[in-house]
Amino acid sequence: MHMAMVIGGGIVLLGLFLLFGRLWGGATPDLALAAKAFVPVWLVIALVNMWVGVTKAGYSMRDELPILLIVFIVPAVLAGIAVWRFAR
């Protein structure tokens, strides 16, 4: 359940990045730039989520690594689709 909530939070955060991209620029390339800026921010958040799982929840790195990959990849792929769609 926690993993689904984190992925959902990533999708909401991507939506916020795209919203701010539209508010600040309004042009299509600004939306692509906002989606590109989302990916490193999301990577840091996903790594912090893994760090909390290892240090506070008691999971091993081996247990948390596949979760990190799933949590990072789903919103990052959506951001990649947004970049591809808006960069045209």
Side-chain angles (χ1 to χ4, degrees):
M1 183 66 182
H2 178 264
M3 189 168 79
M5 290 179 4
V6 173
I7 291 171
I11 294 169
V12 168
L13 184 63
L14 174 61
L16 288 173
F17 268 69
L18 293 174
L19 176 66
F20 284 124
R22 174 163 296 302
L23 291 175
W24 284 329
T28 305
D30 293 331
L31 293 173
L33 179 64
K36 288 178 188 177
F38 164 78
V39 175
V41 172
W42 183 243
L43 178 61
V44 169
I45 292 171
L47 288 170
V48 168
N49 180 58
M50 183 184 82
W51 175 77
V52 169
V54 170
T55 60
K56 305 292 182 190
Y59 295 111
S60 68
M61 287 285 285
R62 186 175 168 176
D63 293 337
E64 282 289 320
L65 192 59
I67 294 170
L68 167 72
L69 293 175
I70 293 169
V71 162
F72 173 71
I73 286 176
V74 172
V77 165
L78 291 175
I81 292 170
V83 168
W84 173 73
R85 174 79 172 106
F86 296 128
R88 291 196 231 169

